Structures are given as structure tokens and as C-alpha cells.
Amino acid sequence: MNVVFKDNIKSYLLIFLLSIIAGLSVVFFCEFPNNDLWAFSYWSSETFGFWMFSTSLIVLLSEKRKSATINSTIYIFIMFLITTIYKSFRAYWNFYTPYNSLIDLSMHSISGWLLYSIPPALICGILGSILWSGRKNNTWSKILCVLPSIFILGETLLLFHNVFVNHTKLFSAITDLIWFILYFVFLKNEVFKNTNKIDSNLYCRFDHMKKWQIILISIFQIVIIIISCSLVILFANKTFFKTTYIGVNKQEIFIPKYSYFKDESGMTIATFYSLKSEKKLRKEINNYMSDFEYFENDSTYGYRKDDLIIQSYEVVDNGLFRKIFIVYGVVCSKRLLNQAVGKSLRTHNLKSKKGAQVMRKNEKITALYERLSRDDFGKDDDRQLDRIYAA
């Protein structure tokens, strides 16, 4: 296998420049919409094919294991660092931060930038060190080299499914297909060109294995790894295998089974992911809510059963999955609830920039929730809310 990146300063500087270009490409595509047919912004935020392709090539074309580890660490670290700095600066330019200058913002954000960038860089460095073993001329090394292509192919198939079903993410699907083809050509020309020169000790054991057998073994391995990791994640989630969500005040709220808990904002809005169809989710939720009684007064409204109050129980279809929102157990003004929850549930239909602004405003509204949950809130909340939405 050819060597492109050697163990010297010149090669490390080249990797540094490539990582800057990669980070700037993320910044560039962040400014595009993410909810149309092409969905350019999705490529920069949630598509991994390019990063798998480029990092794998950097590792496999490195001269030594040490240089492969350093190269992959630098590449991912700089890319993540540029991305998080850009997002912080964009928040400042949109007046979403309390800082008075970029210098003030930078001084208070350095630790956060490093915490965001270092962990993925270290993980990729370790994985790069393992993947570098693919340069060795034996069967297991070839299996190791095939693994990235299987990941890229899997993501490509998922993206094209999204294109045909939801008519979006076309750019990510096409680029992932390109990376898969290029990596396949790389495997053919660099990895499998000397199949007959396998290490003699291993050749005696694996001389009967063909390329398709190696690929099948690789697929089996990656499937086992994915299933194992998925089960660990799902069992660690506090609601996935349950049908009851425990609120902050120990309220027991029904949730459809196999709903993945995402987060709870403002201590009153719980968010979940589900792979069930929207129709099936709505049926389960409607059956549950049928036991609740609707009420309305000057200060609040919602659905009540015993001591539990649910203001809203909504399902939003996001394509491959459904998002579930539960607003519960808080006494707040009807106007505030309509604007905060109603707008946040509609942001999936907005352009990315406008949606980001609305979601950011909703974070400010969440702060008002805590004030409204106390008995001593002032009379200027409506005026403050008007200023938030007038921004």
C-alpha cells in the first residue's frame, strides 16, 4: 500500500491544512437549508460518510501507526474546533449570547470549545491506530479495511430511502454514494491487489477465503458490533422499554412503548423519539388522553386527571422517526403556552436559519416558565415575551 503521509512535520502540516478545509466546508454548508430536497445543511451536521471516507484514507495512507494516530486526531480535532467556534460566533452575531464582544465570548468559551473537540479527536485517534493494522498484508487486515466501506454503504442506503420516502437529503445521499465508489476503487487498487501474497502463516489457515467471503465476515462483524452498541444504549435509556415516564414531581405519564427519551427542558417539556408510525402513536396517545377532562380558566388550561395536568401531547413526523412532545404539570398563562409550544412544534417546517432563531427564542421562553411557576412573578412578563418575539 502506498504511503502519502509520512512521519514528519511537512506531512503533519498538510493534515492541518486539510482539516481546516474540512472544517470550513462544514461551516459553508451550515448556512444552507436542511428541509428541502437537497438539504445541504444536513451534510455538515448529521452525515458521516465523508468523514469515514477521508479519515480512513488518511490512516491507511500513513507511514507508521504513530503518524496515523496523530493524523486522525489532528484532522478531527481541528474540524470540530472550527465548527464549534463558528456556531458560538454565529450565536453572538444573532444576539443570543450575554457577551459584549467576541474577545469576551472567546475567553469564556475556550474550555467549552476544547471539551467539544478533544473527546471525538481522541476516539478517532484510537480507532485510527486500530485501522492502521489494515496496511498489513494478511486476511484480517483486509477485513479491517473493508469495515469503513460497509458503514458508508449502510448510511448511503438509509439516505436514499429518505430521498424516495421523504423527498429530502438528496445531496447527502449522492455524496455518500460517491465516497463509497471511491473507497471501493481504493480497496481494489491498494488493498486487494496483492491477495496472492498473504502472510504465509495466515495463508495456510485462510487460503480458501475469497473476497466475497471476507466481505461477508466483515458485514457480520459490523452487524454484531452495531447490535451490541444499540442494545447497550437502549437499555441505558430510562424509558425505551417502559410505558411510563416519571416527571420531575413524580407524575406518572403514559408514553408509547419503545419511545427513546431525549431530554426535558424547563422541567416541564419532555421530548422522545419513536420509530412507530405517526398514526399508531396518535392512536395510543388518544386512548390515553380519553380519560382526561379538558379545563380552562384565566390562568391556565389543559387536560386533567386526578393530580396530573397535561397541556399538550404532540407527535411530529421527522421522516425516519417521530418526535413526541409532552408539556405537563405546570401552571402558566395560555398565551405563553400557545406561543412557546406551538411555535416549537412547527419549526420542522421552517427554513433552517429561521427555525434556529425560533428555537433559540423558545429557550428564552423556557426561562420564563420557571418564573411563572413561582408565586412572585411580576406583571412585566407579557412585555418581556413581546420583546422576545419582536426580536
Side-chain angles (χ1 to χ4, degrees):
M1 196 179 298
N2 295 326
V3 172
V4 175
F5 304 104
K6 299 182 178 180
D7 185 18
N8 55 41
I9 299 297
K10 183 179 178 180
S11 291
Y12 294 140
L13 288 176
L14 177 59
I15 290 295
F16 181 76
L17 292 176
L18 291 175
S19 61
I20 291 177
I21 294 173
L24 292 178
S25 68
V26 173
V27 171
F28 176 76
F29 284 104
C30 274
E31 293 301 322
F32 286 84
N34 65 350
N35 57 355
D36 57 2
L37 175 61
W38 290 94
F40 291 102
S41 180
Y42 187 85
W43 179 87
S44 66
S45 59
E46 300 182 52
T47 305
F48 302 98
F50 172 73
W51 310 112
M52 180 66 71
F53 167 76
S54 57
T55 308
S56 298
L57 288 189
I58 289 173
V59 168
L60 293 174
L61 295 176
S62 295
E63 181 182 21
K64 300 177 181 178
R65 189 186 301 273
K66 181 185 77 171
S67 58
T69 304
I70 295 174
N71 288 340
S72 56
T73 303
I74 292 175
Y75 183 69
I76 297 300
F77 173 77
I78 297 299
M79 188 272 293
F80 269 78
L81 184 64
I82 290 176
T83 303
T84 186
I85 290 176
Y86 162 74
K87 290 186 179 295
S88 298
F89 283 5
R90 187 171 66 171
Y92 171 79
W93 292 324
N94 290 327
F95 305 103
Y96 292 147
T97 65
Y99 305 111
N100 298 320
S101 66
L102 286 176
I103 296 177
D104 191 21
L105 169 68
S106 302
M107 294 301 295
H108 288 84
S109 303
I110 290 177
S111 59
W113 293 344
L114 295 177
L115 286 175
Y116 178 80
S117 306
I118 291 177
L122 293 177
I123 292 173
C124 287
I126 295 171
L127 294 177
S129 176
I130 297 172
L131 180 61
W132 187 86
S133 299
R135 288 185 58 87
K136 298 178 180 179
N137 193 25
N138 58 57
T139 301
W140 294 116
S141 297
K142 298 181 188 303
I143 292 175
L144 202 59
C145 290
V146 170
L147 293 180
S149 67
I150 297 175
F151 178 90
I152 299 172
L153 177 61
E155 186 180 64
T156 303
L157 295 176
L158 289 175
L159 288 170
F160 272 107
H161 172 269
N162 211 290
V163 171
F164 291 115
V165 173
N166 302 307
H167 309 291
T168 187
K169 302 177 185 176
L170 179 59
F171 179 74
S172 296
I174 292 175
T175 53
D176 261 30
L177 180 60
I178 293 173
W179 310 136
F180 173 75
I181 293 173
L182 292 176
Y183 193 79
F184 182 81
V185 172
F186 170 78
L187 290 177
K188 184 177 181 299
N189 294 334
E190 295 291 337
V191 178
F192 292 103
K193 65 179 180 180
N194 294 321
T195 345
N196 55 340
K197 297 180 181 178
I198 299 176
D199 180 74
S200 55
N201 294 330
L202 288 171
Y203 185 81
C204 297
R205 184 186 297 177
F206 302 113
D207 59 341
H208 62 285
M209 297 183 68
K210 305 295 183 182
K211 290 182 182 180
W212 65 269
Q213 291 175 314
I214 294 176
I215 293 175
L216 284 179
I217 292 175
S218 302
I219 293 174
F220 177 75
Q221 287 178 328
I222 199 168
V223 167
I224 293 298
I225 292 172
I226 291 174
I227 292 175
S228 302
C229 293
S230 300
L231 287 175
V232 170
I233 293 172
L234 294 178
F235 275 108
N237 190 264
K238 65 180 183 180
T239 64
F240 188 78
F241 293 103
K242 300 178 181 178
T243 56
T244 302
Y245 171 70
I246 307 299
V248 292
N249 293 323
K250 307 303 180 184
Q251 307 100 320
E252 293 188 0
I253 305 173
F254 165 81
I255 55 172
K257 197 171 183 180
Y258 308 124
S259 297
Y260 186 89
F261 175 75
K262 178 180 179 289
D263 57 33
E264 186 170 63
S265 59
M267 300 176 65
T268 60
I269 304 177
T271 307
F272 306 85
Y273 291 132
S274 177
L275 292 176
K276 292 183 179 180
S277 67
E278 184 178 359
K279 182 178 180 181
K280 189 171 183 179
L281 289 173
R282 290 192 183 279
K283 182 179 179 181
E284 293 184 39
I285 292 171
N286 289 338
N287 289 338
Y288 170 66
M289 295 298 294
S290 62
D291 295 333
F292 284 70
E293 179 183 357
Y294 180 79
F295 75 97
E296 182 175 3
N297 54 45
D298 294 338
S299 61
T300 187
Y301 75 101
Y303 300 86
R304 178 165 44 201
K305 179 183 178 182
D306 299 329
D307 296 331
L308 176 61
I309 297 175
I310 295 180
Q311 272 84 23
S312 178
Y313 205 142
E314 298 293 338
V315 178
V316 176
D317 192 345
N318 280 2
L320 288 178
F321 59 89
R322 263 54 59 194
K323 209 168 186 179
I324 302 172
F325 296 90
I326 305 176
V327 184
Y328 69 94
V330 62
V331 177
C332 61
S333 70
K334 181 166 60 179
R335 176 168 170 262
L336 178 59
L337 184 66
N338 278 335
Q339 290 177 325
V341 178
K343 285 198 173 187
S344 63
L345 292 178
R346 290 194 294 271
T347 54
H348 66 288
N349 290 325
L350 299 176
K351 297 293 184 181
S352 61
K353 187 174 181 179
K354 185 177 179 182
Q357 291 174 344
V358 173
M359 291 299 291
R360 197 63 180 170
K361 291 174 184 176
N362 288 339
E363 292 180 6
K364 297 181 180 180
I365 293 171
T366 301
L368 290 179
Y369 276 0
E370 299 180 0
R371 294 189 61 199
L372 290 168
S373 63
R374 302 195 304 267
D375 295 329
D376 60 343
F377 67 90
K379 297 181 179 180
D380 62 336
D381 290 307
D382 285 343
R383 292 195 296 273
Q384 184 175 355
L385 188 63
D386 288 337
R387 289 197 298 270
I388 292 175
Y389 282 105

